Amino acid sequence: MRGLAFSSLRTGERYRLKNFGEEFRFELIKILPGEEFVLKDLTTLEEYRMSDLTQFGRGEDFEIREIRI
């Protein structure tokens, strides 16, 4: 796996996640038990969970990177 590990993610920081050819930009709002996170989409401001983005697994292109805006 390239990029950051889930254990490196911090609340209040902004990240880009690539998975199965899709890209998501979000701010991490809250860390929950079991590698679960509450995220806020930087484009739509919608809140969702990390499991919503990884529910179909992790593709070969799976990557999380910190972004600066």
Side-chain angles (χ1 to χ4, degrees):
M1 176 177 14
R2 299 173 299 188
L4 299 172
F6 283 152
S7 61
S8 299
L9 304 182
R10 303 289 179 246
T11 58
E13 297 295 329
R14 295 173 178 189
Y15 299 95
R16 174 183 51 85
L17 180 142
K18 290 175 72 176
N19 196 24
F20 291 113
E22 295 188 79
E23 185 173 300
F24 305 92
R25 293 176 181 262
F26 59 85
E27 180 178 344
L28 197 150
I29 302 298
K30 187 174 183 180
I31 299 173
L32 303 173
E35 292 190 340
E36 182 66 279
F37 307 91
V38 177
L39 314 172
K40 180 173 73 173
D41 190 285
L42 294 178
T43 305
T44 65
L45 304 179
E46 176 186 2
E47 288 190 8
Y48 48 85
R49 292 185 177 216
M50 180 68 77
S51 59
D52 295 333
L53 302 180
T54 60
Q55 66 184 337
F56 300 112
R58 298 180 188 178
E60 291 182 14
D61 62 343
F62 185 84
E63 178 180 60
I64 299 174
R65 296 277 183 191
E66 187 173 354
I67 57 173
R68 307 238 187 255
I69 295 179

